[in-house]
Amino acid sequence: MQAMLFRSNRLVGVPLARLLHVRKTYDAWRLGREVDALLLDIIDARRRHDAGERRRRRRRNDLLSLLLAAGDEGGEKRRAMTSRELVDECKTFFFGGHETTALAVSWTLLMLAAHPDWQRALREELREVAGDGPLDATALSRLTKMGWVLNEVLRLYPPSPNVQRQALHDVTLNDGAAPVIIPKGTNMWIDVVAMHHDEALWGADANEFRPELFAAGAQGGCRHRLGYLPFGFGGRICVGRNLTGMEYRVVVAMVLRRFELAVAPEYRHAPRIMLSLRPSDGIQLLLTPLAASTNTSIKHH
């Protein structure tokens, strides 16, 4: 769906723009119907399953069951979510909870392959934290340098390349010679990629891979408190940011314990902005098994 929608320039906000690309509009509609049908089948099956579980006074505790039960919590009757709302929530969590984390891990493996000094530093940190034993949640939270690398990857290659907001009322900006008024209803797009590479915010080497920036704090030494926005900001900041950090550490730790990474000769660096920031032709890496890789299990709760 992403590839189809971004194959040609879209006229966002232009009246009747869909009529200018009828074939693409139809293909996107058809794909959307397929996605909705798949999710509706899953939701309907879970509704039937959970109804049987309630009769046996049992209930699954995963995300979909929690969403289905949201209308009957704490003994109080509340409005249950409609099927359309459930489908939209599932889409959001699938996209926000899977693709973005996968992209962060992918860009990280590329950066570590291109910077073997940091690859060695993370592998050494893993040995210091847990030796060759399993990693639990407490140990994962102590991987400080891995956190620096995650933050720096999210700076250079934010999986969500822009943030959108709409002015709920007239907004007056006074940062300049004359005030600027943003009218109510204006849709604003914040270019996160450009901001994360802005030399005025990050210095002359803003395009370089420098995880040590984040040794000083979560903002990486940015010269503006809102210059670093990998998860958005305000009341709609990404609800899954802590889950992302844990999933990320688990996967990167497992890979580093098993393999030495190097960039494959055929790799061509071509990031592409769609709904997410993706490598146009994938990321080709050479993975060499580590001879000393014995106990590589990871335990998490």
Side-chain angles (χ1 to χ4, degrees), residues 46-62:
R46 179 58 60 82
R47 276 196 174 114
R48 293 191 296 271
H49 177 272
D50 284 1
E53 292 292 283
R54 280 195 298 273
R55 286 194 294 271
R56 292 187 288 271
R57 296 187 177 182
R58 296 183 302 186
R59 191 181 79 178
R60 294 179 67 166
N61 200 34
D62 61 15

Side-chain angles (χ1 to χ4, degrees), residues 19 27 42 72 75 104 133 136 168 173 214 228 230 245 250 252 257 263 273 276 286 291 296:
L19 299 179
D27 288 342
I42 295 171
D72 187 19
D136 57 18
L168 298 180
L173 303 178
F214 291 90
Y228 181 63
V250 168
V252 173
R257 279 185 157 190
V263 182
I273 292 179
S276 53
L286 301 175
T296 57

Side-chain angles (χ1 to χ4, degrees), residues 225-276:
R225 65 185 184 87
L226 287 178
Y228 181 63
L229 300 175
F231 296 106
F233 63 97
R236 297 183 65 82
I237 194 170
C238 177
V239 70
R241 59 192 183 280
N242 293 326
L243 174 63
T244 293
M246 186 62 72
E247 289 178 327
Y248 173 93
R249 285 172 170 82
V250 168
V251 176
V252 173
M254 291 177 70
V255 172
L256 289 179
R257 279 185 157 190
R258 288 170 166 82
F259 300 104
E260 186 81 30
L261 307 172
V263 182
E266 62 268 27
Y267 174 70
R268 295 295 178 268
H269 195 58
R272 183 186 180 193
I273 292 179
M274 296 197 287
L275 291 179
S276 53

Side-chain angles (χ1 to χ4, degrees), residues 112-243:
L112 293 178
H115 298 85
D117 53 334
W118 276 101
Q119 186 179 157
R120 289 190 294 270
L122 294 196
R123 200 172 282 117
E124 180 60 32
E125 182 178 61
L126 277 167
R127 283 193 289 266
E128 290 175 359
V129 167
D132 292 328
L135 286 166
D136 57 18
T138 302
L140 288 170
S141 67
R142 291 167 53 205
L143 297 174
T144 304
K145 291 182 180 178
M146 190 176 291
W148 299 352
V149 169
L150 168 61
N151 287 335
E152 177 67 346
V153 168
L154 293 178
R155 182 182 75 83
L156 292 173
Y157 303 100
S160 299
N162 52 64
V163 177
Q164 299 86 42
R165 292 292 186 270
Q166 185 180 78
L168 298 180
H169 51 78
D170 289 353
V171 179
T172 301
L173 303 178
N174 292 306
D175 187 15
V180 176
I181 297 177
I182 300 175
K184 176 182 177 181
T186 300
N187 291 318
M188 294 166 282
W189 287 55
I190 299 168
D191 190 337
V192 176
V193 176
M195 192 160 61
H196 283 187
H197 290 255
D198 190 342
E199 293 185 3
L201 296 176
W202 300 95
D205 49 358
N207 295 321
E208 301 298 324
F209 180 68
R210 299 176 296 154
E212 66 274 10
L213 286 174
F214 291 90
Q219 289 303 110
C222 182
R223 295 167 185 170
H224 192 286
R225 65 185 184 87
L226 287 178
Y228 181 63
L229 300 175
F231 296 106
F233 63 97
R236 297 183 65 82
I237 194 170
C238 177
V239 70
R241 59 192 183 280
N242 293 326
L243 174 63

